[in-house]
């Protein structure tokens, strides 16, 4: 038994060690080194680093550019919560309980854009919405209206970039929410029909509370999309302009690190973003997976 135990322990370590080494080299060590760099002023080239303490962290909340980027990030998240959470949730409820036919067709139609790259979507939308030569510009010009140059306005650029992201992830969120609604026990739905309870009351008082876990998961996923997914259309179309008006915290981190060579400031932004993701992960474990465990 002792020999078998040692053999099993050796095999366990042998099987886990490749994954552990990859995590250590490509995740844990970079995270620790990023935290270390966040306390220094360095440009990736100079042989020495100047220790600045918490200056890089305080500049995130005191520097006007950083504050503007943080506000942009909040704007992205709020707008995408409407586009990628509230609207698909509303449509999934309509499809599930008020249409109830061709649900598979709706899933396929909405999910198709999720199969395409965001780079493709960004390039396609930038051509369609080109204020000079795009198809939409020609159409509105025919109606006697000029399409504004949305790339010169930070607010309009954020709205357009959110629409591009929405085109990509709307179907995925819709399928998740519709699947969650389908997990509501059918006997409860049948009981409400026998009692002649209005559908809107059934949805509000029964379906939404029972579907809370999936809804909260999609809510967290939408916040992550507001932080992460918009990086691609920002990089392809606006590069954070005009005057950082369409940048968000992830793109600003990349800009500071690999374009402006402000490694310390970029590392501090990365640490803040990492902490945000940790909070979101905790909330998912606490309110989604923990709730699922209780149901089991």
């Amino acid at each position: 038994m002792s020999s078998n135990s040692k053999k099993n322990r050796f095999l366990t370590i042998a099987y886990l060690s490749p994954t552990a080494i990859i995590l250590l080299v490509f995740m844990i060590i970079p995270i620790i080194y990023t935290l270390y760099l966040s306390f220094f002023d360095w440009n990736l080239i100079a042989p020495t680093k100047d220790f600045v303490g918490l200056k890089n962290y305080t500049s995130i909340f005191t520097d006007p550019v950083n504050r503007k980027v943080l506000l942009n990030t909040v704007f992205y998240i709020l707008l995408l919560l409407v586009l990628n959470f509230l609207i698909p949730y509303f449509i999934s409820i309509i499809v599930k309980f008020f249409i109830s036919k061709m649900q598979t067709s709706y899933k396929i139609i909405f999910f198709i854009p999720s199969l395409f790259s965001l780079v493709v979507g960004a390039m396609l939308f930038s051509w369609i919405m080109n204020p000079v030569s795009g198809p939409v510009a020609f159409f509105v010009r025919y109606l006697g209206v000029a399409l504004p140059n949305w790339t010169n306005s930070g607010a309009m650029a954020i709205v357009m970039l959110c629409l591009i992201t929405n085109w990509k992830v709307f179907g995925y969120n819709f399928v998740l929410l519709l699947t969650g609604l389908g997990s509501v026990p059918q006997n409860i739905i049948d009981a409400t029909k026998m009692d002649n309870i209005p559908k809107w009351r059934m949805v509000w008082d029964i379906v939404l509370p029972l579907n809370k876990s999936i809804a909260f998961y999609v809510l967290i996923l939408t916040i992550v999309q507001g932080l992460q997914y918009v990086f691609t259309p920002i990089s392809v179309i606006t590069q954070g302009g005009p005057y950082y008006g369409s940048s968000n915290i992830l793109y600003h981190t990349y800009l500071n690190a690999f374009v402006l060579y402000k490694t310390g400031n970029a590392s501090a932004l990365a640490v803040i973003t990492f902490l945000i993701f940790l909070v979101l992960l905790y909330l998912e474990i606490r309110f989604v997976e923990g709730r699922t465990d209780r149901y089991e």
Side-chain angles (χ1 to χ4, degrees):
M1 292 295 292
S2 178
S3 177
N4 290 334
S5 178
K6 290 181 180 180
K7 182 179 179 180
N8 292 336
R9 188 178 305 168
F10 173 77
L11 290 175
T12 302
I13 295 174
Y15 290 145
L16 292 178
S17 57
T19 302
I21 292 173
I22 292 174
L23 288 174
L24 180 67
V25 173
F26 294 102
M27 291 192 66
I28 298 176
I29 292 178
I31 289 173
I32 295 174
Y33 191 59
T34 300
L35 179 62
Y36 166 77
L37 289 178
S38 67
F39 298 104
F40 290 88
D41 182 14
W42 188 44
N43 62 3
L44 282 177
I45 300 174
T48 59
K49 307 177 185 70
D50 297 328
F51 180 77
V52 294
L54 296 175
K55 182 180 178 181
N56 290 322
Y57 290 96
T58 56
S59 67
I60 294 176
F61 304 100
T62 57
D63 182 75
V65 172
N66 287 331
R67 283 196 306 228
K68 186 175 185 179
V69 169
L70 291 177
L71 288 176
N72 290 345
T73 304
V74 174
F75 190 16
Y76 275 116
I77 292 174
L78 293 177
L79 188 54
L80 285 175
L81 282 174
V82 175
L83 295 174
N84 288 350
F85 177 68
L86 295 180
I87 294 179
Y89 205 2
F90 177 76
I91 294 178
S92 64
I93 290 173
I94 296 297
V95 170
K96 180 64 180 178
F97 298 107
F98 294 89
I99 298 178
S100 72
K101 294 181 179 180
M102 300 177 61
Q103 291 188 15
T104 303
S105 300
Y106 285 112
K107 287 182 180 180
I108 295 174
I109 293 171
F110 283 124
F111 191 76
I112 286 176
S114 301
L115 303 176
F116 296 94
S117 168
L118 256 180
V119 175
V120 175
M123 296 178 66
L124 181 64
F125 270 81
S126 63
W127 169 70
I128 293 175
M129 299 301 297
N130 188 299
V132 178
S133 59
V136 175
F138 279 111
F139 177 74
V140 297
R141 195 178 302 141
Y142 177 77
L143 298 177
V145 180
L147 185 68
N149 192 350
W150 51 271
T151 57
N152 289 336
S153 169
M156 293 182 64
I158 289 176
V159 172
M160 189 59 59
L161 296 175
C162 284
L163 290 175
I164 296 171
T165 307
N166 172 252
W167 169 84
K168 165 73 175 177
V169 301
F170 180 93
Y172 181 77
N173 290 1
F174 169 79
V175 170
L176 283 178
L177 291 167
L178 186 60
T179 304
L181 293 174
S183 65
V184 177
Q186 186 61 38
N187 61 332
I188 298 179
I189 306 297
D190 295 337
T192 60
K193 292 179 181 179
M194 294 180 62
D195 292 338
N196 293 323
I197 297 177
K199 285 188 176 181
W200 68 268
R201 283 290 305 275
M202 181 259 300
V203 170
W204 183 261
D205 294 334
I206 298 174
V207 173
L208 293 183
L210 290 177
N211 196 48
K212 193 178 298 182
S213 296
I214 295 296
F216 193 79
Y217 170 75
V218 178
L219 176 68
I220 293 177
L221 184 65
T222 305
I223 297 175
V224 173
Q225 292 164 355
L227 292 169
Q228 184 177 1
Y229 274 49
V230 292
F231 177 91
T232 299
I234 292 174
S235 179
V236 172
I237 300 176
T238 66
Q239 291 81 48
Y243 307 108
Y244 303 98
S246 64
S247 185
N248 80 334
I249 189 170
L250 280 185
Y251 185 82
H252 198 56
T253 302
Y254 159 79
L255 185 72
N256 280 338
F258 302 110
V259 178
L260 303 177
Y261 297 108
K262 297 180 179 179
T263 309
N265 188 266
S267 299
L269 286 168
V271 170
I272 296 297
T273 307
F274 176 70
L275 292 177
I276 294 173
F277 280 121
L278 280 183
V279 172
L280 294 176
L281 179 62
Y282 167 77
L283 292 176
E284 180 188 353
I285 295 174
R286 174 69 175 83
F287 294 101
V288 179
E289 297 184 12
R291 185 181 298 269
T292 302
D293 292 339
R294 286 198 296 273
Y295 289 154
E296 294 176 353

